Amino acid sequence: FGEGIFISINIKKLDSWYRTNKSAIDEKMDPVMMRYLSKNNDDRFGPFSSKFVLLHTLSHILIRQLSFESGYNSASLRESIYFSDEQNKEMAGILIYTADSDSEGSLGGLVRQGQWERLLPTIILSLQNASWCSSDPVCRESKGQGQDGLNQGACHACGLISETSCTHLNSLLSRTLLIDKEIGFFKDIV
């Protein structure tokens, strides 16, 4: 009774990005990781990973953009993040979906947006929008914000979505990992 878009990220490119920028990424994400571990979130959500943070942030900015383009409000869209770093079980993907069957989006809005000729501009526009926040430079330069300080560069103006849409309580978000000119996964696109 719903519809969705699944986006798979090339695990080899994700691994290469992390290896190439490991020291800078780790330096940026270490304070978040320490707060994450101090609250025993690894028991609840699994091991901390900067790659997961990247996927989760991408999911949020896409939900924000898709809500404008699909006809669904952002509270109707949900995410599922598929990520594992375990050897022989590696995966990196995002499912953005709705399970509601009502007139909102007219059941076809997400499917239509999932067509490549529509999805690519949506991805690019969401990345461009993520490169600037109305709360910058405060948001971008934050060392930790949100619940338990588990976000960096993600606030209500740029990266947070409805609590009911997010699988991780609007935590573990960082626009830096997406669009930073030095370490961003999508730095060559934005």
Side-chain angles (χ1 to χ4, degrees):
F1 292 107
E3 59 179 333
I5 299 171
F6 180 78
I7 300 170
S8 179
I9 304 297
N10 184 314
I11 198 75
K12 290 179 183 172
K13 289 190 185 263
L14 190 62
D15 289 342
S16 173
W17 163 78
Y18 183 72
R19 275 192 313 275
T20 303
N21 301 290
K22 184 177 182 352
S23 61
I25 292 170
D26 288 350
E27 180 180 333
K28 177 76 174 156
M29 297 308 296
D30 272 350
V32 173
M33 182 182 70
M34 298 310 282
R35 287 189 289 270
Y36 181 82
L37 295 174
S38 73
K39 298 289 184 176
N40 295 320
N41 284 314
D42 52 330
D43 292 338
R44 193 160 121 199
F45 294 125
F48 181 87
S49 172
S50 296
K51 296 177 208 174
F52 174 87
V53 174
L54 174 119
L55 290 172
H56 193 214
T57 309
L58 179 61
S59 174
H60 276 228
I61 67 165
L62 285 172
I63 285 174
R64 290 172 67 94
Q65 188 62 39
L66 284 167
S67 70
F68 291 114
E69 298 177 7
S70 69
Y72 287 102
N73 71 53
S74 62
S76 296
L77 299 176
R78 291 179 173 74
E79 68 178 0
S80 285
I81 311 296
Y82 298 92
F83 175 77
S84 174
D85 248 350
E86 291 182 46
Q87 194 161 2
N88 298 323
K89 294 182 182 180
E90 296 96 351
M91 63 177 144
I94 300 165
L95 174 64
I96 298 172
Y97 68 97
T98 183
D100 299 329
S101 59
D102 63 9
S103 62
E104 194 178 29
S106 66
L107 284 180
L110 276 181
V111 171
R112 187 172 46 255
Q113 288 308 123
Q115 297 168 350
W116 185 243
E117 63 275 1
R118 290 178 180 264
L119 184 60
L120 181 60
T122 298
I123 292 170
I124 291 170
L125 187 57
S126 64
L127 290 167
Q128 288 172 338
N129 289 341
S131 67
W132 184 84
C133 172
S134 60
S135 296
D136 280 343
V138 174
C139 178
R140 182 182 60 241
E141 295 172 2
S142 169
K143 302 290 186 218
Q145 58 193 127
Q147 182 177 347
D148 297 329
L150 296 177
N151 293 335
Q152 288 184 335
C155 69
H156 284 284
C158 64
L160 301 184
I161 60 175
S162 169
E163 289 286 333
T164 58
S165 299
C166 180
T167 56
H168 284 76
L169 309 170
N170 271 325
S171 299
L172 301 173
L173 302 167
S174 174
R175 287 184 301 134
T176 302
L177 298 181
L178 293 175
I179 49 92
D180 184 76
K181 291 178 183 355
E182 294 176 22
I183 63 170
F185 186 77
F186 295 102
K187 67 182 176 187
D188 297 330
I189 293 174
V190 179

